[in-house]
């Protein structure tokens, strides 16, 4: 109850404070770029580009201690070799102590509307996996669908093509990637499985860390932007997981994956809305669970819908978005081989709060999450969240 009172006090204070503002921040989904796109677009006009984004968060569950965290700081570097060839990389520091390469790829412009790419790249699935800079989404935390069903930040090594058909208002991406790592030897006589019933495919991300490859996967996304303020996306990812050499010949070491997603973003004056639906069908999970002793489901499903409204006048420099998001995600949408469905994996989050953009590239966020699962009396704590995000 104290957390709720504090949260609503924040809403009132934030609405009052933010009345003193001027100029414009663009939230049109047709014009919104992610970090890599902004570097490649040439907005900076320099051979060398340096930038960063980061977020600091405070999470307070109803029945537990709170947590303060520098969730991530990502350093952005780009280099333009000539008019056709560019290199983009992102170096991520997570929780102050972990360092990862989030992206590192070469982009070669074959023509005005088509480019070839190779290296470590984001898998184009849903919205937030590609647009995860903290100023581009509402809520202190990313939507759970984009954590559990789409294992954001999901990136792998590969090659592909990206481009657009301007007359049709259509853009496209198509890549060949290495896949998720599914199994490895446990060092004795058993097999370790990296895929879980509760978190789905997330534990199998290889992140270009000495990635195992025995068969390629195919990833694609097509987007339509022909109507003012609207962007629609259709994504697909197909292939098999990758097993370590010492276990790849065992029955159940690999599974098949067919993931499809649909997403939509819309903005009109003060109003914004977005939503997405992701479904992933997994084959041979019965054999996989028998080999690893796991409880991986044979289908993962998640969706959400969100609406937001800017409480400040049009044309003001700052923006104060009040928003609400409903999402449902289930990593046991289906099971096979006699595996009992676990209703604790069928989860629902309702998130409502404020995103206060105090300047282009700086956002202060506060929200409250009502969290539940499909188990009677399921123990999932509601949570109060605050955060600060920057991107430049």
């Amino acid at each position: 109850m104290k957390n709720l009172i504090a949260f609503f006090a924040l809403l009132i204070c934030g609405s009052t404070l933010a009345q003193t503002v001027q100029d414009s921040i663009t939230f049109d989904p047709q014009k919104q770029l992610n970090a890599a796109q902004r570097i490649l677009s040439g907005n900076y006009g320099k051979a060398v580009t340096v930038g960063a984004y980061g977020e600091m968060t405070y999470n307070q569950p109803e029945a537990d201690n709170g947590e303060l965290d520098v969730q991530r700081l990502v350093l952005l570097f780009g280099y333009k070799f000539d008019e056709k060839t560019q290199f983009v990389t992102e170096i991520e520091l997570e929780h102050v102590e972990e360092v990862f390469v989030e992206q590192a790829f070469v982009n070669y412009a074959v023509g005005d509307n088509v480019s070839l790419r190779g290296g470590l790249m984001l898998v184009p699935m849903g919205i937030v996996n590609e647009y995860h800079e903290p100023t581009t989404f509402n809520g202190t935390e990313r939507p759970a669908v984009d954590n559990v069903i789409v294992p954001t930040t999901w990136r792998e090594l590969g090659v592909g093509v990206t481009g657009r058909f301007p007359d049709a208002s259509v853009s496209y991406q198509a890549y060949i990637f290495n896949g998720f790592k599914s199994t490895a030897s446990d060092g004795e006589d058993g097999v370790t499985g990296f895929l879980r019933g509760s978190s789905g495919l997330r534990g199998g991300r290889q992140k270009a860390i000495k990635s195992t490859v025995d068969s390629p996967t195919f990833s694609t996304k097509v987007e339509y932007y022909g109507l003012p303020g609207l962007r629609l996306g259709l994504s697909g990812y197909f292939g098999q997981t990758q097993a370590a050499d010492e276990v790849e010949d065992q029955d159940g070491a690999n599974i098949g994956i067919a993931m499809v997603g649909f997403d939509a973003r819309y903005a009109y004056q003060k109003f914004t809305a977005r939503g997405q639906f992701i479904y992933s069908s997994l084959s041979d999970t019965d054999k996989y669970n028998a080999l690893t002793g796991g409880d991986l489901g044979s289908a993962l499903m998640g969706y959400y819908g969100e609406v937001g409204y800017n409480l400040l006048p049009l044309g003001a420099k700052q923006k104060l978005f009040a928003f609400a998001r409903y999402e449902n995600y289930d990593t046991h949408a289906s099971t096979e081989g006699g595996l009992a469905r676990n209703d604790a994996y069928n989860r629902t989050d309702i998130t409502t709060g404020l995103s206060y953009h105090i300047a282009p590239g700086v956002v202060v966020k506060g929200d409250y999450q009502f969290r539940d699962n499909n188990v009677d009396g399921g123990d999932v704590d509601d949570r109060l969240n605050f955060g600060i995000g920057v991107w430049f």
Side-chain angles (χ1 to χ4, degrees), residues 27 38 66 68 90-91 171 174 177 205 233 245 286 319 346 360:
F27 288 91
R38 198 162 79 171
L68 287 163
E90 300 184 18
I91 310 300
S171 64
F177 286 117
R205 296 176 302 164
D245 288 344
D286 54 343
K319 308 289 182 185
N346 183 357

Side-chain angles (χ1 to χ4, degrees), residues 170-182:
V170 170
S171 64
Y172 63 88
Q173 301 176 70
Y175 303 103
I176 299 295
F177 286 117
N178 68 278
F180 293 98
K181 189 173 183 178
S182 51

Side-chain angles (χ1 to χ4, degrees), residues 218-281:
F218 176 67
S219 175
T220 185
K221 185 169 187 178
V222 177
E223 294 185 282
Y224 175 74
Y225 53 90
L227 298 176
L230 179 67
R231 195 173 191 99
L232 303 174
L234 180 64
S235 311
Y237 176 89
F238 308 95
Q240 281 199 319
T241 59
Q242 323 289 289
D245 288 344
E246 63 271 17
V247 300
E248 64 180 346
D249 292 330
Q250 296 193 42
D251 196 23
N254 285 323
I255 65 167
I257 302 174
M259 182 185 296
V260 294
F262 173 77
D263 61 81
R265 288 173 283 167
Y266 180 71
Y268 177 72
Q269 296 186 353
K270 293 186 174 188
F271 175 78
T272 64
R274 61 169 55 189
Q276 70 179 28
F277 173 83
I278 308 291
Y279 185 86
S280 184
S281 176

Side-chain angles (χ1 to χ4, degrees), residues 8-21 311-313 318 320 354 356:
F8 286 115
L10 172 76
L11 292 182
I12 295 169
C13 292
S15 300
T16 303
L17 174 66
Q19 295 299 319
T20 61
V21 196
L311 301 177
L312 298 180
Q318 297 178 331
L320 179 64
L354 290 173
Y356 180 24

Side-chain angles (χ1 to χ4, degrees), residues 24-54:
S24 122
I25 299 172
T26 300
F27 288 91
D28 187 339
Q30 295 177 345
K31 300 176 182 178
Q32 190 179 68
L33 303 176
N34 61 28
Q37 290 169 339
R38 198 162 79 171
I39 291 173
L40 291 170
S41 69
N43 286 349
Y44 295 95
K46 300 177 182 178
V48 178
T49 302
V50 178
Y53 65 86

Side-chain angles (χ1 to χ4, degrees), residues 59-81:
N59 306 117
Q60 178 60 66
E62 279 287 349
D64 207 344
N65 290 341
E67 180 182 87
L68 287 163
D69 187 22
V70 179
Q71 278 209 7
R72 56 185 55 86
L73 175 63
V74 181
L75 306 177
L76 312 170
F77 301 96
Y79 188 80
K80 188 174 183 179
F81 296 93

Side-chain angles (χ1 to χ4, degrees), residues 89-381:
T89 188
E90 300 184 18
I91 310 300
E92 180 176 23
L93 293 87
E94 289 190 356
H95 315 295
V96 182
E97 61 182 1
E98 299 175 303
V99 180
F100 296 99
V101 179
E102 187 162 293
Q103 294 194 78
F105 65 88
V106 173
N107 187 86
Y108 180 74
V110 178
D112 290 340
N113 296 307
V114 59
S115 295
L116 301 178
R117 290 183 182 176
L120 178 61
M121 298 173 288
L122 299 174
V123 177
M125 178 63 65
I127 300 172
V128 170
N129 198 56
E130 290 189 278
Y131 297 87
H132 52 255
E133 296 79 6
T135 59
T136 64
F137 63 90
N138 287 317
T140 304
E141 301 292 340
R142 300 167 179 177
V145 170
D146 291 303
N147 181 286
V148 178
I149 307 301
V150 180
T152 304
T153 303
W154 182 14
R155 70 275 193 188
E156 297 294 353
L157 285 162
V159 295
V161 60
T162 179
R164 62 191 181 103
F165 300 107
D167 293 341
S169 300
V170 170
S171 64
Y172 63 88
Q173 301 176 70
Y175 303 103
I176 299 295
F177 286 117
N178 68 278
F180 293 98
K181 189 173 183 178
S182 51
T183 51
S185 171
D186 65 2
E188 299 177 354
D189 295 328
V191 174
T192 296
F194 300 104
L195 313 179
R196 302 281 186 270
S198 60
S199 56
L201 301 168
R202 188 171 186 83
R205 296 176 302 164
Q206 301 205 65
K207 307 177 187 178
I209 304 171
K210 297 181 178 179
S211 298
T212 294
V213 180
D214 58 32
S215 63
T217 60
F218 176 67
S219 175
T220 185
K221 185 169 187 178
V222 177
E223 294 185 282
Y224 175 74
Y225 53 90
L227 298 176
L230 179 67
R231 195 173 191 99
L232 303 174
L234 180 64
S235 311
Y237 176 89
F238 308 95
Q240 281 199 319
T241 59
Q242 323 289 289
D245 288 344
E246 63 271 17
V247 300
E248 64 180 346
D249 292 330
Q250 296 193 42
D251 196 23
N254 285 323
I255 65 167
I257 302 174
M259 182 185 296
V260 294
F262 173 77
D263 61 81
R265 288 173 283 167
Y266 180 71
Y268 177 72
Q269 296 186 353
K270 293 186 174 188
F271 175 78
T272 64
R274 61 169 55 189
Q276 70 179 28
F277 173 83
I278 308 291
Y279 185 86
S280 184
S281 176
L282 311 181
S283 60
D284 296 323
T285 57
D286 54 343
K287 299 176 183 177
Y288 179 83
N289 289 332
L291 178 65
T292 64
D295 64 342
L296 183 66
S298 59
L300 318 176
M301 184 274 294
Y303 63 89
Y304 70 78
E306 175 189 298
V307 294
Y309 187 79
N310 178 20
L311 301 177
L312 298 180
L314 284 173
K317 181 178 180 180
Q318 297 178 331
K319 308 289 182 185
L320 179 64
F321 280 93
F323 76 95
R325 179 174 65 239
Y326 176 90
E327 57 184 320
N328 176 260
Y329 49 106
D330 188 355
T331 50
H332 267 188
S334 180
T335 60
E336 64 181 11
L339 177 65
R341 174 185 170 88
N342 190 337
D343 285 335
Y345 298 163
N346 183 357
R347 291 153 282 188
T348 299
D349 292 350
I350 299 174
T351 306
T352 182
L354 290 173
S355 297
Y356 180 24
H357 297 259
I358 62 177
V362 182
V363 63
V364 179
K365 302 179 180 183
D367 60 74
Y368 194 85
Q369 292 184 297
F370 302 89
R371 305 193 300 169
D372 199 3
N373 61 30
N374 211 36
V375 176
D376 290 338
D379 185 18
V380 183
D381 288 336

